[in-house]
Amino acid sequence: MANQDIHSNATTSGGIDTGSTGSTGSTGTIQKSAGTTTVTGGTGPGEPAATRGKTSIADVVVVKIAGMAAREIPGVFDMGGGLSRTIGAVRDRVPGGRPNVGRGVKVEVGERQTAIDLDIVVEYGVPITDVSHDVRENVIAAVERITGLEVVEVNVAVNDVRLPDDDTTDSAGETRVE
């Protein structure tokens, strides 16, 4: 079954769009290459300005948007599995190092849709189902609003719980043994 692309006057029937000819003789195409989705509009003076040219959205763009949106939710302590969090903690301590907002995020980006997998660590005491629901809603809203891609699914895996006494020392900051 063919889907009509309202932005480029193109008809899609599977992987790469073959395009269709509109009343002005222009052709629009959509192509998927390694890590990037490209939407190409028609050409010619009869085409609206918004459809002349192409827009490419790289996978890393969706990764960063999803990572930022997930971290905005109260109750999300960190993202990523154990090893990636350990490596990320080392990177964060290096002078001039930046936090990796894409840690714990995997995406698949198609022509018009994307699927997202998130690995998160939650704070102890927060309802995990509520946090997962809020993360899912925020990620879908952010990715769809910013990229225009339809998010077909957001899978949330809770890998760990941060306990209140994790990564803290005695109240005086001293060790118990000398």
Side-chain angles (χ1 to χ4, degrees):
M1 181 170 193
N3 295 324
Q4 183 68 26
D5 181 357
I6 61 171
H7 297 292
S8 66
N9 209 16
T11 304
T12 305
S13 57
I16 296 179
D17 186 356
T18 57
S20 69
T21 304
S23 60
T24 60
S26 62
T27 303
T29 61
I30 299 175
Q31 297 177 334
K32 172 76 174 154
S33 62
T36 305
T37 299
T38 304
V39 179
T40 306
T43 59
E47 285 293 315
T51 63
R52 295 183 197 178
K54 62 182 179 178
T55 302
S56 300
I57 301 173
D59 292 0
V60 69
V61 172
V62 177
V63 166
K64 288 181 178 183
I65 294 167
M68 290 296 295
R71 284 176 172 79
E72 291 174 352
I73 301 303
V76 174
F77 173 72
D78 201 359
M79 294 188 62
L83 181 60
S84 71
R85 284 196 327 264
T86 303
I87 293 170
V90 171
R91 275 185 58 192
D92 292 347
R93 289 190 180 116
V94 173
R98 297 182 318 187
N100 182 4
V101 297
R103 183 173 61 228
V105 182
K106 295 181 188 107
V107 301
E108 291 180 39
V109 179
E111 294 173 355
R112 291 183 185 87
Q113 299 175 328
T114 185
I116 303 168
D117 296 323
L118 303 169
D119 295 329
I120 66 172
V121 178
V122 297
E123 296 278 353
Y124 175 78
V126 299
I128 292 174
T129 54
D130 292 348
V131 171
S132 297
H133 180 265
D134 293 345
V135 165
R136 193 171 287 113
E137 280 187 344
N138 203 42
V139 167
I140 290 171
V143 170
E144 287 183 346
R145 178 176 40 85
I146 295 171
T147 66
L149 295 169
E150 175 190 1
V151 179
V152 293
E153 68 180 5
V154 175
N155 300 311
V156 179
V158 179
N159 289 329
D160 202 358
V161 174
R162 182 185 182 274
L163 300 174
D165 58 347
D166 284 354
D167 299 329
T168 59
T169 59
D170 226 338
S171 59
E174 302 172 1
T175 60
R176 296 185 331 167
V177 241
E178 291 185 34

